[in-house]
Amino acid sequence: MRVLLITDIHANRVALEAVVQDAGAVDAVWCLGDVVGYGPRPNECCVWVEAHAAITVVGNHDWAALGKLDLDDFNEGARQSTLWTVEQLTPYAYQWLDALPNRYIEGETTLVHGSPRHPVWEYLLRPAQAAANFEYFDTSVCFVGHTHAPAIFQEALARRGEPSYVPPYGEPIALTNGRYLVNPGSVGQPRDGDPRAAYAIYDPDTCVIEFRRLAYDVELTQRQMREAGLPESLVVRLARGL
Ligand code: ZN
């Protein structure tokens, strides 16, 4: 089975389309949340994910667009883009986002946006955090998003305090040596210093995953953001991958 694993699209339709093209034929799409926020095409991204993803969990920016989060916790750029997104969202997109679960278990895989401990909010960055989070899910693999950086935490390594790692892009690797917390990286707003869209292809039958990175037309998304009047700081950061 070939699953396209995507997260943190952030209303970047251009990046989403490029990823879908690059992934080729898949049996399923799993989406780890933050479909909207920051980017210029929230409704189009909701429509695509709603139509194509077998599983979608909700992210903090999706909640913010629904008015479920206090925007005081957001920085100015995130706050302004959320207010813009709220104005744009169709009732259809709103209702779809509003019905999304914050955790989904599919066979031996758990899906959340942030972490299994705090599905919408926690950023999984440090090994000690990851080690603690292995207590909060029962499956062999848990997929997360939210940090906008690809990462694998293997349980035994995290318990020894060793940091996450990123396998070489385009090389399939098996997640069969214990349990794992895995982030495929962000489709629409990477923040690891690499502006290329990030995603993964996963086979839940063999637990083999392939991380991928893909250049897309960043300037087109930037033009759409400027036309929409989104904050210039968000436009600029997209090209820097930060
Ligand atoms: Zn995000």
Side-chain angles (χ1 to χ4, degrees):
M1 187 176 179
R2 209 161 178 275
V3 176
L4 168 58
L5 208 53
I6 51 176
T7 185
D8 297 280
I9 298 162
H10 283 294
N12 188 339
R13 178 71 204 262
V14 178
L16 176 62
E17 268 176 13
V19 161
V20 169
Q21 283 274 318
D22 188 65
V26 294
D27 301 301
V29 178
W30 295 353
C31 176
L32 302 161
D34 276 7
V35 178
V36 304
Y38 295 127
R41 295 289 185 268
N43 292 311
E44 291 174 27
C45 289
C46 285
V47 166
W48 190 92
V49 175
E50 198 269 341
H52 294 91
I55 303 168
T56 304
V57 292
V58 75
N60 58 314
H61 279 263
D62 305 318
W63 264 15
L66 297 169
K68 290 184 175 183
L69 283 186
D70 189 345
L71 293 187
D72 290 347
D73 293 330
F74 275 15
N75 64 40
E76 187 54 24
R79 201 182 68 81
Q80 282 184 35
S81 76
T82 300
L83 294 174
W84 180 86
T85 302
V86 169
E87 280 177 19
Q88 304 297 316
L89 272 193
T90 63
Y92 178 87
Y94 184 98
Q95 282 167 17
W96 175 69
L97 287 171
D98 196 34
L100 295 177
N102 64 15
R103 178 193 305 262
Y104 197 96
I105 296 166
E106 174 77 11
E108 270 307 308
T109 312
T110 300
L111 297 98
V112 293
H113 179 66
S115 78
R117 179 167 54 185
H118 300 297
V120 178
W121 258 117
E122 184 176 22
Y123 290 91
L124 220 47
L125 294 165
R126 298 187 307 278
Q129 257 183 319
N133 265 286
F134 279 101
E135 311 297 332
Y136 291 84
F137 67 102
D138 297 321
T139 56
S140 57
V141 177
C142 177
F143 287 117
V144 302
H146 198 37
T147 65
H148 297 208
I152 293 180
F153 285 103
Q154 196 253 7
E155 184 172 16
L157 295 178
R159 290 194 189 286
R160 290 207 299 268
E162 294 189 27
S164 65
Y165 57 96
V166 184
Y169 296 116
E171 278 184 28
I173 56 155
L175 303 176
T176 48
N177 186 20
R179 297 169 72 226
Y180 297 84
L181 281 154
V182 179
N183 188 330
S186 169
V187 169
Q189 201 201 73
R191 278 183 209 157
D192 58 347
D194 181 344
R196 294 178 298 166
Y199 73 99
I201 299 289
Y202 182 61
D203 183 341
D205 300 324
T206 58
C207 300
V208 170
I209 190 164
E210 180 185 329
F211 282 59
R212 289 188 175 183
R213 225 47 206 255
L214 176 70
Y216 72 97
D217 192 347
V218 175
E219 288 174 8
L220 177 52
T221 298
Q222 289 180 310
R223 278 204 297 280
Q224 293 172 349
M225 292 175 80
R226 289 194 174 108
E227 280 164 16
L230 285 160
E232 186 63 20
S233 59
L234 299 181
V235 177
V236 170
R237 88 188 283 188
L238 213 55
R240 296 164 59 212
L242 292 172

